[in-house]
Amino acid sequence: MTPVSPLLVAQITDTHLFAEFDRTWKGLSTARTLQAVLEHLQQIRPQPDLLLLTGDLSQDETPQSYELLASLISPLNIPAYWIPGNHDNVSVMQQILDRRPISPEKSFQLGNWQFLLLSSVEAGCDGGRLSPDSLQWLDSQLQQTGDRPVIIALHHHPLPIDSEIMDGMMLHNADEFLAIVERYPQIKIVLCGHIHQEFQQQRGSVTYLGTPSTCIQLLPKSHPIILDEIPPGFRLLELAIDGTWNTRVERVAAKSPPN
């Protein structure tokens, strides 16, 4: 019997878009760097089965910034799912990011994998917190997954990354989240954004992954925060039907604005 091909998932995070296409943030046009990432993504074969957009999708929280995101993502015709970050306006996202191929669903199965997407946004705070309802929902969903391998995505990092400022803005009730995760051996991966750098750490049987932004990068373990000169990036994950997986980060040279 021919084995089923692994799922290919692309994680895109921290796009920090503005209403205006060429508006810059810390010297970069965030729309142009995202455009470069998506053009690179289109060249990958096979094409990803799924896009995960893990927060801070807007920088100015305007409807136009989310319309811009949808206009850039939609032509790929790849199913896309999103969670908010601390720079996002959740109510505006819910209105705009709700048309194919973009879905607001937070629990879904693809292949043999279960995907659970959590909002870690805490109003008025750069750091994150999972509400009691979110924690209860996560526990309930995990009780229903059987032995299917699970991937969880949230915006804020639940493990410290050895950066004093960023770790002050991590998931503030990480202990409650980790206590749930550690009860379910079917969980394989926890994905986050927020940190603008590559990160990987094993805790028990679960791998925690942080992914570079599609715009500015932060130098790992820097005190205070220092911008890194490494190019923007995104993450690819190959998820096999038996629960094994591989991942890599792809880097993309930023596009220069026209003269």
Side-chain angles (χ1 to χ4, degrees):
M1 184 175 178
T2 305
V4 177
S5 298
L7 290 174
L8 186 60
V9 176
Q11 181 195 4
I12 293 170
T13 194
D14 296 87
T15 57
H16 290 275
L17 296 175
F18 295 91
E20 305 85 9
F21 188 91
D22 276 319
R23 185 169 171 185
T24 61
W25 184 51
K26 301 186 186 298
L28 287 179
S29 164
T30 57
R32 290 193 178 276
T33 55
L34 174 58
Q35 190 177 54
V37 163
L38 296 178
E39 288 175 359
H40 182 84
L41 197 59
Q42 283 182 301
Q43 304 306 312
I44 291 173
R45 293 293 181 271
Q47 277 278 274
D49 300 288
L50 176 68
L51 301 180
L52 290 178
L53 314 176
T54 53
D56 280 1
L57 305 180
S58 174
Q59 178 63 16
D60 62 9
E61 302 186 21
T62 61
Q64 293 87 350
S65 65
Y66 297 112
E67 292 284 4
L68 176 57
L69 175 67
S71 73
L72 293 172
I73 292 287
S74 294
L76 276 65
N77 203 30
I78 300 171
Y81 298 80
W82 56 269
I83 50 175
N86 49 290
H87 284 278
D88 285 311
N89 184 316
V90 179
S91 62
V92 175
M93 297 175 89
Q94 289 170 335
Q95 295 172 29
I96 295 172
L97 302 180
D98 188 14
R99 55 182 181 262
R100 290 186 175 183
I102 304 172
S103 170
E105 291 297 318
K106 304 300 182 237
S107 175
F108 56 93
Q109 185 180 348
L110 190 60
N112 194 42
W113 284 73
Q114 183 73 34
F115 293 78
L116 299 175
L117 312 186
L118 296 169
S119 172
S120 55
V121 173
E122 184 175 21
C125 185
D126 287 330
R129 183 175 297 276
L130 294 170
S131 70
D133 285 348
S134 291
L135 291 167
Q136 184 178 18
W137 178 86
L138 174 63
D139 196 40
S140 174
Q141 290 292 316
L142 289 166
Q143 290 174 27
Q144 300 171 44
T145 59
D147 59 358
R148 290 195 301 276
V150 175
I151 182 167
I152 297 172
L154 71 168
H155 180 67
H156 293 85
H157 53 302
L159 298 182
I161 61 168
D162 196 18
S163 171
E164 183 177 348
I165 293 177
M166 290 305 298
D167 287 343
M169 299 186 290
M170 63 183 285
L171 184 69
H172 293 321
N173 60 338
D175 54 340
E176 295 178 84
F177 171 67
L178 295 172
I180 293 174
V181 170
E182 288 167 4
R183 291 205 298 269
Y184 294 95
Q186 65 266 47
I187 300 172
K188 305 297 182 182
I189 301 167
V190 173
L191 282 179
C192 74
H194 191 51
I195 59 176
H196 288 246
Q197 60 194 263
E198 185 175 355
F199 174 81
Q200 180 166 341
Q201 185 170 322
Q202 194 74 21
R203 181 183 168 103
S205 61
V206 181
T207 304
Y208 293 77
L209 298 171
T211 296
S213 165
T214 61
C215 56
I216 66 162
Q217 309 301 302
L218 301 182
L219 187 68
K221 300 183 179 181
S222 58
H223 313 277
I225 289 175
I226 299 171
L227 295 185
D228 201 344
E229 295 181 0
I230 196 167
F234 65 99
R235 182 178 292 281
L236 288 172
L237 300 111
E238 292 182 355
L239 308 178
I241 194 169
D242 64 357
T244 59
W245 55 274
N246 290 295
T247 189
R248 68 182 187 273
V249 165
E250 299 261 338
R251 299 280 180 175
V252 182
K255 296 178 71 172
S256 299
N259 294 326

